[in-house]
């Protein structure tokens, strides 16, 4: 049955490619497609990526961006392994899988990448004020943000956690226990973690800080009792700061990260989605995540923690 579906899919792709070919160009696609079509099951994904690559060129030609020829991307590098400063030979360099994906998207669209590092609430503001084309900052596609940006497809699945320090694990064995007026609980300004804090710990004092790295520093200094942090980020900082304790999974119904796209640029949104699909299909996305995790476990900038 699986095989039959794969064959059907493959046949459909040959047909749609043939249709494409007759409209515009007649590339050598038929040859490579039929080779892939004869392969079982997995054929569908790689065939798609070979189909989308040549389509990128005409797409790029009609893209409008904030600065012509450039893809301007705001990011908030306090968020390993998504984006952070890796220190190599004493020099900080912007790194992380969002940064790598931004490079991939820019290449795919034939645009020069310009990254704009800024605090997270600044990323939202830059998009809203139309200063940047994209925001790539582990952005949750929160419906409340739909008035100020469009969202791409999801490119990474992550979760939410409640974090404290070693020794305090016993105080937080349920989310209800975080809801105590005695507690000071951190969340990043402008983030959905503020909503999570208000939902789950409404009686606690919720402290909003501009940088996740500040939240981690305050946790380690004992100034915060706990904090709401993206799970992958908490896990990443816990490698360098083993005093952190990730104690609870926090339910949140808008799962995953999307690219924030300047509102109303439908061509750019479609092109970004195409690039994301290609990065997932050709294995690049998995590599970006693996590389970022590796890099984030090494020396990352400490300055942000001061
Ligand atoms: N996913 C959360 C949100 O969209 C937090 C993102 C924070 N990103 C960052 N780079 N600090 O609100």
């Amino acid at each position: 049955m699986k095989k039959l579906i794969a064959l059907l899919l493959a046949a459909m792709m040959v047909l749609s490619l043939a249709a494409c070919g007759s409209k515009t160009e007649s590339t050598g696609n038929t040859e490579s497609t039929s080779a892939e079509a004869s392969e079982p099951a997995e054929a569908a994904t790689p065939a798609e990526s070979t189909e989308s690559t040549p389509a990128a060129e005409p797409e790029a030609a009609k893209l409008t961006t904030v600065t012509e020829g450039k893809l301007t991307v705001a990011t908030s590098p306090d968020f390993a392994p998504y984006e952070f400063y890796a220190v190599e030979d004493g020099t900080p360099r912007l790194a992380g899988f969002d940064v790598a994906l931004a490079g991939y998207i820019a290449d795919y669209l034939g645009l020069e990448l310009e990254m704009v590092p800024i605090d997270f609430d600044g990323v939202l503001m830059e998009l809203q004020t139309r200063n940047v084309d994209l925001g790539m900052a582990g952005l949750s596609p929160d419906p409340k943000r739909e008035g100020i940006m469009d969202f791409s497809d999801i490119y990474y699945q992550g979760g939410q956690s409640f974090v404290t320090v070693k020794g305090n694990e016993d105080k937080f064995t349920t989310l209800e226990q975080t809801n105590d007026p005695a507690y000071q609980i951190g969340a990043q300004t402008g983030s959905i973690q503020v909503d999570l804090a208000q939902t789950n710990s409404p009686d606690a004092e919720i402290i909003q800080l501009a940088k996740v790295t500040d939240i981690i520093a305050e946790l380690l200094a004992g100034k915060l009792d706990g904090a709401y942090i993206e799970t992958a980020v908490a896990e990443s900082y816990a490698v360098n700061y083993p005093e952190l304790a990730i104690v609870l999974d926090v339910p949140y119904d808008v799962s995953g990260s999307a690219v924030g796209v300047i509102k109303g640029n439908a061509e750019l949104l479609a092109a970004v989605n195409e690039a994301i699909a290609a990065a997932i299909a050709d294995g690049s996305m998995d590599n970006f995540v693996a590389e970022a995790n590796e890099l984030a476990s090494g020396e990352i900038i400490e300055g942000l923690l001061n």
Side-chain angles (χ1 to χ4, degrees):
M1 188 57 188
K2 242 187 180 166
K3 259 200 176 134
L4 184 65
I5 293 173
L7 276 175
L8 274 174
L9 276 175
M12 276 162 60
M13 258 182 303
V14 173
L15 281 178
S16 68
L17 274 176
C20 264
S22 64
K23 248 190 284 160
T24 49
E25 77 250 88
S26 57
T27 56
N29 267 348
T30 346
E31 236 180 59
S32 65
T33 313
S34 51
E36 269 152 359
S38 62
E39 277 167 32
E42 295 95 331
T45 329
E48 231 166 58
S49 72
T50 49
E51 181 193 11
S52 52
T53 314
E57 294 304 336
E59 192 89 49
K62 58 173 200 264
L63 286 179
T64 308
T65 56
V66 165
T67 305
E68 208 192 313
K70 281 193 178 174
L71 186 68
T72 310
V73 182
T75 191
S76 172
D78 60 351
F79 213 57
Y82 294 72
E83 50 264 347
F84 56 98
Y85 287 107
V87 182
E88 284 164 339
D89 305 324
T91 318
R93 178 177 69 84
L94 199 55
F97 63 75
D98 277 348
V99 180
L101 180 61
Y104 185 103
I105 294 174
D107 283 352
Y108 195 91
L109 305 184
L111 296 167
E112 188 194 325
L113 178 64
E114 179 159 336
M115 296 297 292
V116 180
I118 189 168
D119 283 345
F120 181 69
D121 55 345
V123 172
L124 304 178
M125 188 59 80
E126 290 294 286
L127 270 169
Q128 181 168 21
T129 54
R130 311 185 71 78
N131 276 327
V132 296
D133 300 301
L134 308 180
M136 295 184 66
L139 263 175
S140 308
D142 180 353
K144 281 192 284 184
R145 293 175 177 153
E146 273 165 5
I148 60 169
M149 66 185 76
D150 292 328
F151 287 113
S152 76
D153 297 333
I154 300 293
Y155 62 85
Y156 181 80
Q157 283 295 346
Q160 306 299 328
S161 288
F162 183 85
V163 181
T164 185
V165 289
K166 295 259 165 76
N168 281 349
E169 292 104 323
D170 292 355
K171 294 190 195 163
F172 304 111
T173 59
T174 66
L175 266 178
E176 291 71 52
Q177 289 176 323
T178 70
N179 188 27
D180 187 317
Y183 292 142
Q184 300 205 308
I185 302 224
Q188 183 171 36
T189 314
S191 73
I192 60 97
Q193 281 77 15
V194 173
D195 297 342
L196 295 180
Q198 283 162 352
T199 304
N200 297 295
S201 320
D203 296 338
E205 188 182 347
I206 297 166
I207 312 282
Q208 298 189 34
L209 296 172
K211 292 181 170 65
V212 171
T213 41
D214 291 339
I215 294 175
I216 289 165
E218 301 277 273
L219 273 172
L220 294 170
K223 290 184 193 151
L224 289 174
D225 299 287
Y228 289 86
I229 301 179
E230 212 99 0
T231 305
V233 174
E235 284 170 348
S236 185
Y237 286 106
V239 174
N240 281 316
Y241 300 96
E243 281 307 296
L244 293 175
I246 304 166
V247 282
L248 296 167
D249 271 337
V250 181
Y252 177 54
D253 45 19
V254 185
S255 73
S257 305
V259 178
V261 180
I262 188 170
K263 187 128 193 85
N265 192 338
E267 293 78 20
L268 182 61
L269 177 62
V272 166
N273 278 333
E274 216 183 290
I276 289 172
I280 292 171
D282 71 11
S284 297
M285 193 59 216
D286 285 341
N287 291 338
F288 296 157
V289 172
E291 279 163 22
N293 278 318
E294 169 79 30
L295 209 55
S297 65
E299 191 188 351
I300 66 175
I301 196 148
E302 308 276 330
L304 280 176
L305 286 175
N306 297 328

